[in-house]
Each structure stands twice: as structure tokens, then as C-alpha cells.
Amino acid sequence: MSIGIIGAGNIGLAVAKTLARAGIAATIANSRDPQSLKESLAAFGSIIEAGTREQAAAADIVLIAVNWSKLPGALAGLPAWNGRIVIDANNPVEAPLYKPLDLHGLVSSEVVANLVAGARVVKAFNHLRAEVLAGDPHVDGGRRVLFYSGDDSAAKAEVGALIDRLGFAGIDLGSLAVGGKLAQFPGGPLPNQNLVRIG
């Protein structure tokens, strides 16, 4: 199983750190070029490689963590997804105001799914702040909770297994329409809830 990350901002790098800590290789790309990521990835060793957007998008599982307004451009022109898994780690807000955007009644992951037609979309890694996500998931005698949701049960099972390998406790919230809404920031009740499962 190969993993790619499109977006090397706070969330993308936080996920890269959790993968590196668990010994899981990945390719990460930004909007510039691989060389521009050299300093950011230095602490992760060779297990996290910088690549082009196309290289990251060719992985079996591709996590997308891009500023909302840049999503269409970041995903345009990529090869067919052909049933591969896309993890949507985005929220429909823009710094510095973080005002909710009008999605015309759709959950943000439904918007993302329309941008990656043919992919199996799972919403995950979006509800915790980057510094919390990057921290050790083993805390207070338990494991930090990560919520995920999606419409494809097999894709959710794969993402759930990845979450477990990273040391987190995954909780399946159901479909994108239901679970995506619960974990979406702003509006959902679950973002920034730093929960720990004991036992």
C-alpha cells in the first residue's frame, strides 16, 4: 500500500509526521516543487519523500490537505482515480477569517468527491488542530480518537486500519453526508474535540 499527500501545509506535514513515527513511507507534494520541501522534511528521514503532485496522486491512498480555494487547481488534470482511496482532510474555511463558506447544502466532502470523480472518498484527519494531530496519539493511558466517514465500506476499513497503525483510535461516523457533517469545521460538533479512548 502506497500513500501520497497532496498539500504540505500544517495538516499535511502533521500527517507526514505521524506516518514517519509509525515507520510508514509516503510521498508528499506541494504547489511548488519537491526541492522546496527539503527543509520541512529533514526531521522525518528518508521515509517521507518529496515528490510532484502527480507522484503523490498516483499512490493507493492519497490524502488531500489543501486550502479550500486552491482545491480545484490542486486536483485538476490528475490521472483517473480508478477506485483508489482519497482521504479528505480539508475544511471549507479560509484563514484568517475562518468564515463558513456556502456549499449550497452539500457537506464539504461531497464537494471534494465531485473533484475526484472515480475515487472512494473517506473524510478523516480534519477535526484536530495540526499540533495535536502531530503529537503522540498514546495519551493519558489511552489512544487519541480520530473520526472518519465515507460511503464505501471497504475504503473506510482500509483507512480505519491505517488510523490504527498510526496509534490512534478510529471511530466510524457513517456516511459522508452524516459523518462528514458531524466532523466538518465549521458547523459540526466534533472539530477540536481532543478525545481519548481508554481501554
Side-chain angles (χ1 to χ4, degrees):
M1 177 187 68
S2 57
I3 297 177
I5 301 172
I6 296 177
N10 292 337
I11 294 296
L13 289 174
V15 173
K17 184 175 181 178
T18 67
L19 290 167
R21 185 171 51 227
I24 301 173
T27 299
I28 187 169
N30 62 10
S31 59
R32 297 184 296 278
D33 60 78
Q35 187 63 27
S36 67
L37 289 170
K38 184 176 180 180
E39 185 175 332
S40 298
L41 302 183
F44 304 149
S46 61
I47 197 161
I48 306 296
E49 294 184 344
T52 65
R53 185 176 61 108
E54 290 76 14
Q55 288 170 326
D60 300 319
I61 296 178
V62 181
L63 182 135
I64 300 169
V66 176
N67 288 338
W68 187 261
S69 63
K70 296 179 181 177
L71 270 171
L75 299 174
L78 292 174
W81 293 98
N82 293 330
R84 288 178 295 115
I85 295 172
V86 165
I87 298 176
D88 170 24
N90 304 281
N91 286 307
V93 293
E94 290 282 347
L97 298 179
Y98 294 102
K99 292 174 62 176
L101 301 176
D102 183 4
L103 302 182
H104 308 290
L106 294 176
V107 174
S108 63
S109 287
E110 294 174 317
V111 175
V112 173
N114 289 333
L115 296 173
V116 290
R120 295 179 293 156
V121 176
V122 177
K123 184 75 168 182
F125 296 94
N126 70 297
H127 70 91
L128 292 175
R129 295 190 311 275
E131 64 271 19
V132 176
L133 181 60
D136 189 346
H138 298 93
V139 290
D140 298 328
R143 294 187 296 158
R144 184 168 285 120
V145 168
L146 278 184
F147 299 108
Y148 62 99
S149 58
D151 297 333
D152 185 287
S153 58
K156 283 198 296 184
E158 287 197 49
V159 174
L162 175 61
I163 287 170
D164 187 67
R165 283 183 66 193
L166 294 175
F168 294 91
I171 295 181
D172 183 351
L173 297 178
S175 68
L176 287 179
V178 174
K181 190 172 185 178
L182 290 171
Q184 179 175 296
F185 176 81
L190 297 178
N192 292 323
Q193 297 297 319
N194 184 9
L195 307 178
V196 175
R197 173 183 280 175
I198 306 298

